[in-house]
Every structure is written in structure tokens, then in C-alpha cells.
Amino acid sequence: MAQTIKDRCFVGTLVLALGGFGADGAPAAGSATQAAPRARATGADLVDLSLEDLANIEISSVSRRAERLSDAAASVFVITADDIRRSGATSIAEALRLAPNLQVARIDASQYAISARGFNSSTANKLLVLLDGRSLYTPLFSGVFWDVQDTLLEDIDRIEVISGPGATLWGANAVNGVISIITRDARDSRGALAYAQGGDQERGTGVRYGQGLGDDVAYRLFAKHLERDDTHRADGLSAGDAWRIGHAGFRVDAPLAQGRASWLGDIYDGRIDQPVPGRKRISGYDLQGHWRRQLADAASVELQLYVDHTERDYPGTFAERRDTWDLQFQHRFSPYAGHDTVWGAGLRSSHDDVTNSALLAFLPAETTLKQFSVFVQDSWQWVPERWTLTWGVRADRNDYSGVDLQPSLRVAWKPAPEQLLWAALARSARAPSRIDRDLYSPSVPPFLLAGGPDFQSEIVNTAELGYRLAHAMRGSLSATLFYSDYAKLRSLQPTNPPAAFPLVLTNRIEGHAYGLETWGDWLLKDWARLRAGYLWQQKTLRVSAGGAPDPSGLRGAGNDPRYQAVLRLSLDLAAGWELDSSLRRVGALPDPHVPAYTALDLRLGWRPRKEVEVSIGGKNLLDRSHPEFMAAPTRSEVERSFYAKVLWSY
């Protein structure tokens, strides 16, 4: 016993040594791991989450059906509930830093730039994000407002992060990746939970109560509040961007019409400071119903409907009210032996009403956009347990550019039970948004900037080659090579050259990107797990032949690091103690230039009783502050911070 405790203390000291290595600026290895799909919100020995369990975790976002992670022919990483708990994250955006195949950059107190395989910006538009199947995409700019996307983190079952095209199943905007956030069934969150967290820069509280009504019916209610202080510029001046937001919601799971149904709802309200002329206001609500019925011979049908209302008021800039409803149908069956076929259709309608300002306008100020889609995909095990061929195609119709066809082809080979080699070809499209077609600045003629009346969908054709090794020699490994060819990307073009203005949005940028993403998991001891990940990418873009030079210098296509790496070490120490460290290295951003940085996060947790968890931690410990995005000198710095948290559950 004494030797075991001595060993654990030695590995704990290694955590600090890793931090010192990263401070010298050497590229550290990367992070993240897969863990059990229903990892508990309570502490557990790492041995309980065996590598075999991790390989056998069931995911659903790659093929719209439950399958083992080790069998998924895609570059997919799973963030589990236990990963989130031990990270100290307080929001979904912060939790996404755990995925080595995502670029996550904090912009200020409330904003993040998040993307996969490049093209990152404050309005990144090539990543589809789902929360329990509800799309978080906004037709305003084809992206996600991260300041309002949240839920009680303790209720998240897992986050499935797919890098690479997923448009055949999920539709437009799943160009470079899909993030699917999946919360627990209400039957798995019975009882009470409460937490309070405080620190030098942010504070938060949350409560949840769940109850069963018999064996098959359960519900839960939750509420949470989060606030962050102002960020600061490099010169020490306050950015005046403090953020506070409250969320509340519910979930009910119950039998219905020979199937099973879920009803979910969420409401939020927040304020964001700005120096002038007044606070920003963000608010909204959503309601969702999902029904699934299992049929004979492993067939099933699913139906989902949700409504979503959002309001966003930026004094001096613009205000928007948007109402969206979305209906999705899916049918899965096996037409022949060895085949698994899924097809479906969807209809979405989104109505918005914008209050324009002198600075910018959306014209027309009020509009309704509709989108209709149909898809089919078939997986054929032509050699059972060895070879699988998957093909599919999707047709999306939008009001701006018409119909986009998005096919895909994948082949997977298992040379051994613990190995998977796969290859894929796919075509994806990013549908035009309100910004692309209807944005004008200033709000009255003569315009300096105008949306493109002929703006079309952006197109990408991608080839991938991947390898996965599962639970071999106390470790696992995933690696993917990718090459993407882009066409019709958004550009700025002068309408009357050589005059610089007015500018119009067009589709004149093309080019390619290629890279490698890899991560691994190593169980050093039954109580010590090391996880690493690395992403390297190269992007080359140009203005297509016949186009005038883009005055933005291709800046609008995104600002991405050439590489990033993360190393995470998790230890279960004696007597209910946990120690977690995360070291990440992010390469420099080219335009606008942001220096490379290395950051170390530490967390120490203690469970004195089964119902109580106490933790303290620090983030960005290697420097006083550093920038992660935007241009100097007005950009915000991400500062060193400390926190303490108490969680009680019963």
C-alpha cells in the first residue's frame, strides 16, 4: 500500500513536470479520450472505465443508428460525462476543448470561435451542431451563437464530435464536421443535484431534480446561472464585456403509441455588457418532441418536431427575432440480408424580423426561409465482421440556391477484431445565409458592402483515409488523413474595379486543405490514464480565374493554426482524491496574427462522501494572459484564473 501511494504521488508530480515542459514552448502532444457512454456524474476509479468499455461505447451520429465506436468508419471522438466533470468546464463551448479534432478559441467573455478542419472565425459556418437532435444552426450566418448554447453539464451523457463531411445524413452545413450533444434519459437522472462554483473571474450555480413515475416514465427539471467578469486587452484596459445568463429546462421520457417518446424544453435569458451604447440582450426558448418505435426485424421509425424562438438585441448594431420549426422523419429497415438501410425527409421553416441600424441592414428586414431535404443511406456487410460498404445521397433544397446533392461512399475493413481501416469520399455544401444574400452596409445607398444576389452554395469534395486500434496493449489509437477540395467559397469583390468600393459578396475563392488528426489513450495504471492528440493541417486558397483580387486578402475564409496538440493526465489518488491536468499547445494564427500559446489547466477533486464532491482548479496557469483570436490591439486576452466548486447529489 505504501509503495502504491508513493507511485501515485510520483505520477502527480509528473503532472507539474509536464506543465514545465509546455512552458518552454515545445509542441506538446494532444488530448482527449473516449469514455463510457453513461459515465457517472460521481467519481470512479479509472479502471472502471476500461479501454474495452471505451471501444464498445455506442454512438449514433455517424450512421444515425447505434454502433460501436470501434466500428465507426469516420474520424469521431467522444467526450463523456466523466471527461466533462473532470475538466472543470462550465459551458458547452469550454467542454469542446476536450476534443482534439476541434479548433476552439475564446474571443471574449461570451464569444467563441469553434470549427473543425479549419475555416474558423467568430461566424464559422462549416460545422453542424445538434443538441438532442435539435439543430443549433442559425440561417442568419449559417453558424452557431455559442453564448446561448448550454444546458446543465451534469445531464450530458456524451458529446460525439465528427470531423469531416456529414452532409449525406445531416444536411447543409455539415461540411467539415458534426457535433452531437446528447443528454441523459430522464430515467438516468433521478434524484436531486445542486452545485455552486466561484472564482476570480466567473461564478455559477445550478440545481436539478428528477423523479420516476413508475418504471418507464421519468422527468427532470433544471436551472443554472453563469456569469463572467469583463475580459481585458493586452494593455490592461477592460473590454467592458461582462456576461451573465440563466437557463432552465425540462425533459420527460415515457412510452407512447407502442414506442418511446421524449419531450424537452429550454428557456434562457442573458445580458452582455458593451462600452456603448448599452447592454446586449439575448433570450429565447425551445420545445422538442421525439418519438421512436421499434418494428420487426430490427426496423424502426422515428419522428421529431421542434420549435425554437430566439431574440438578440445589439444596441447600435442590429436586433433580430427568429421563429423556427423543424420536422424530421426517419425509417430504418433491412431490405436484404447484410444490408442496413435508412432513409428520411425533413422540412424546416425559419422566420426572422430584423431591426436595422445606420451601420448595417438586412434587406428585406423580414423574411421566411424554407428548407426541404430527403436522404437515403445503405450499409452492406458484404463480408460479415470484415468488409462493409456504405453509400448514400442527400438532396437539400433552400430558397437561395436551389437543390444541393450531397453523396458519400465509405468502405471499412477489419483485418482483426481490434483494428479498423477505412476510406471515404464525400461531397458537401454550405447553403447561403442571410449575410451572404441580404446584408448591406451602411443601411441606405450608396452601399459600401452588399450581399450577393447570385451567391451560391459553397462546395467541398473530401477524401479520407483512417485507422483505429481499439483496446490493444492497454491503449487505443485513431488516425485520419484528409484532403478537401473547396470551390465557390465566399469572397469580396469590387463591383466597379479599379474602384475599391462598393464591394459585393461572391463565390470566387477556391483551393484545398489537407492534414492529419490523431489521438490515443493509454492506461498507465489502473488509476492513471494518459490521453494525447495532435492535429496538423495546411490550407491553400486563391481567387478563381477571372475574379478581381479579394481586398480582404482571403481573411474572410478563416484564421487557423497550422497545428495544435493536447496532453491530458487523469489520476485517481487514494481516499477519494482525483488529480487532472490538461496541457495544450496551439500554433500561431496567420491573419490576423495571433501568437502561438501553451496553456496548462489543473484540477484537484475530493469526494469526502458519496453525495459530495469538492474541487479546486486553475486554468491557463503558464502565463498571466494570452490572446486566442481576433486582431490586436482591441482583442481580449484569456487570463489565468482559479475556481472552487462544491457539488451535492442525492
Side-chain angles (χ1 to χ4, degrees):
M1 175 64 72
Q3 182 61 42
T4 299
I5 295 175
K6 182 178 179 180
D7 289 344
R8 298 188 183 195
C9 292
F10 170 76
V11 179
T13 305
L14 177 61
V15 176
L16 303 180
L18 289 172
F21 172 76
D24 293 335
S31 113
T33 186
Q34 282 83 269
R38 299 210 171 177
R40 298 157 303 286
T42 60
D45 289 343
L46 293 175
V47 69
D48 292 337
L49 304 177
S50 71
L51 293 171
E52 185 173 0
D53 290 337
L54 305 184
N56 291 330
I57 179 177
E58 285 195 345
I59 61 173
S60 56
S61 302
V62 173
S63 56
R64 279 187 178 253
R65 63 177 171 84
E67 62 180 329
R68 295 188 306 169
L69 175 62
S70 58
D71 294 335
S75 181
V76 56
F77 183 88
V78 179
I79 304 170
T80 69
D82 209 51
D83 290 331
I84 297 172
R85 179 185 67 85
R86 298 184 69 147
S87 72
T90 56
S91 67
I92 287 176
E94 280 292 315
L96 293 178
R97 288 192 188 274
L98 295 168
N101 51 344
L102 288 179
Q103 290 103 47
V104 179
R106 184 172 166 186
I107 298 175
D108 57 24
S110 61
Q111 295 186 86
Y112 289 81
I114 301 177
S115 185
R117 296 188 180 175
F119 297 89
N120 206 10
S121 74
S122 59
T123 55
N125 56 20
K126 294 175 177 59
L127 184 66
L128 182 68
V129 184
L130 306 165
L131 177 56
D132 287 319
R134 175 173 60 89
S135 175
L136 306 184
Y137 145 101
T138 172
L140 188 72
F141 66 92
S142 297
V144 174
F145 283 116
W146 289 104
D147 52 6
V148 297
Q149 311 306 337
D150 211 1
T151 188
L152 195 72
L153 298 187
E154 286 75 11
D155 287 338
I156 293 178
D157 184 64
R158 65 190 186 276
I159 303 176
E160 300 176 8
V161 180
I162 305 168
S163 46
T168 297
L169 289 179
W170 299 107
N173 284 68
V175 173
N176 282 358
V178 177
I179 298 174
S180 182
I181 305 157
I182 301 166
T183 64
R184 300 172 185 268
D185 189 296
R187 292 173 296 177
D188 298 330
S189 53
R190 307 186 195 202
L193 178 147
Y195 73 84
Q197 177 170 323
D200 59 334
Q201 293 180 30
E202 71 176 54
R203 293 149 297 281
T205 56
V207 294
R208 180 249 284 155
Y209 180 75
Q211 183 63 52
L213 304 175
D215 293 336
D216 293 329
V217 180
Y219 72 90
R220 68 166 175 259
L221 308 170
F222 81 88
K224 67 178 294 188
H225 175 78
L226 178 65
E227 58 182 62
R228 288 183 182 156
D229 298 335
D230 296 335
T231 59
H232 293 80
R233 314 296 192 200
D235 58 9
L237 294 178
S238 172
D241 59 352
W243 171 52
R244 58 204 60 82
I245 189 167
H247 284 258
F250 72 91
R251 174 166 178 155
V252 177
D253 291 277
L256 178 68
Q258 297 181 323
R260 188 154 189 87
S262 300
W263 295 270
L264 305 94
D266 183 61
I267 187 170
Y268 61 87
D269 186 79
R271 301 292 185 272
I272 305 172
D273 290 351
Q274 59 178 353
V276 290
R279 285 180 174 174
K280 302 174 185 177
R281 179 176 179 269
I282 48 178
S283 62
Y285 61 83
D286 58 80
L287 295 170
Q288 175 184 343
H290 180 271
W291 173 77
R292 183 178 189 273
R293 180 180 175 184
Q294 193 70 35
L295 306 176
D297 300 322
S300 64
V301 292
E302 296 185 45
L303 193 64
Q304 175 180 279
L305 173 66
Y306 70 78
V307 294
D308 192 317
H309 173 81
T310 65
E311 296 186 24
R312 186 169 292 267
D313 185 3
Y314 289 3
T317 306
F318 86 108
E320 180 199 29
R321 294 171 57 93
R322 179 175 297 276
D323 289 284
T324 301
W325 64 265
D326 184 287
L327 178 64
Q328 302 285 332
F329 168 80
Q330 174 181 304
H331 176 214
R332 179 175 298 281
F333 66 105
S334 180
Y336 306 103
H339 286 262
D340 181 83
T341 302
V342 59
W343 72 276
L347 179 62
R348 177 183 301 162
S349 176
S350 188
H351 175 84
D352 76 335
D353 187 355
V354 178
T355 301
N356 296 317
S357 69
L359 178 64
L360 61 85
F362 289 87
L363 303 175
E366 186 174 356
T367 190
T368 299
L369 300 177
K370 293 184 174 63
Q371 179 178 310
F372 176 73
S373 60
V374 293
F375 72 90
V376 61
Q377 178 169 288
D378 179 76
S379 293
W380 176 33
Q381 287 198 23
W382 51 295
V383 179
E385 303 299 326
R386 298 283 284 182
W387 289 92
T388 302
L389 179 68
T390 302
W391 68 270
V393 64
R394 184 185 189 97
D396 277 328
R397 187 199 178 281
N398 67 81
D399 290 340
Y400 285 134
S401 59
V403 177
D404 291 315
L405 290 177
Q406 299 168 104
S408 68
L409 178 67
R410 293 179 183 268
V411 60
W413 174 46
K414 299 198 75 169
E418 71 278 1
Q419 297 183 63
L420 178 71
L421 184 67
W422 58 273
L425 297 172
R427 181 182 189 270
S428 299
R430 199 277 292 179
S433 65
R434 285 273 269 160
I435 279 183
D436 300 316
R437 286 291 192 103
D438 303 332
L439 176 66
Y440 294 86
S441 182
S443 58
V444 296
F447 301 118
L448 297 178
L449 172 66
D454 300 317
F455 193 94
Q456 299 298 307
S457 296
E458 298 181 339
I459 302 297
V460 58
N461 295 293
T462 300
E464 298 174 287
L465 180 64
Y467 174 78
R468 182 175 294 115
L469 176 66
H471 60 85
M473 297 179 64
R474 298 177 67 89
S476 64
L477 174 69
S478 177
T480 304
L481 291 167
F482 63 89
Y483 179 90
S484 296
D485 185 74
Y486 295 88
K488 299 183 180 180
L489 297 182
R490 183 168 61 198
S491 62
L492 284 172
Q493 298 291 312
T495 56
N496 299 306
F501 297 99
L503 296 171
V504 65
L505 294 171
T506 61
N507 300 90
R508 293 292 185 86
I509 293 178
E510 59 187 26
H512 61 267
Y514 55 89
L516 166 70
E517 51 196 18
T518 182
W519 52 84
D521 191 326
W522 185 25
L523 197 63
L524 302 171
K525 298 285 186 178
D526 290 343
W527 42 268
R529 173 169 280 123
L530 181 67
R531 291 156 286 185
Y534 184 78
L535 168 64
W536 176 85
Q537 60 187 2
Q538 174 67 48
K539 182 174 64 177
T540 302
L541 301 177
R542 59 188 177 275
V543 177
S544 59
D550 188 330
S552 70
L554 305 180
R555 177 179 295 187
N559 199 18
D560 312 303
R562 181 73 61 86
Y563 70 89
Q564 66 178 33
V566 188
L567 188 67
R568 292 174 57 209
L569 183 62
S570 297
L571 309 175
D572 282 340
L573 306 176
W577 289 87
E578 301 172 334
L579 181 60
D580 297 276
S581 68
S582 176
L583 179 70
R584 68 181 184 276
R585 173 73 177 176
V586 180
L589 307 187
D591 188 15
H593 175 71
V594 178
Y597 73 89
T598 304
L600 173 68
D601 299 342
L602 291 176
R603 172 189 173 273
L604 179 65
W606 177 45
R607 186 169 291 274
R609 299 176 56 185
K610 180 180 178 181
E611 302 85 8
V612 178
E613 179 181 277
V614 180
S615 59
I616 58 173
K619 300 179 181 180
N620 304 295
L621 297 176
L622 299 183
D623 53 31
R624 182 178 178 182
S625 65
H626 63 263
E628 294 187 1
F629 215 71
M630 307 301 282
T634 58
R635 64 190 175 206
S636 292
E637 299 266 318
V638 178
E639 301 175 66
R640 179 189 294 129
S641 64
F642 300 92
Y643 68 88
K645 180 178 180 179
V646 177
L647 182 145
W648 172 83
S649 60
Y650 179 75

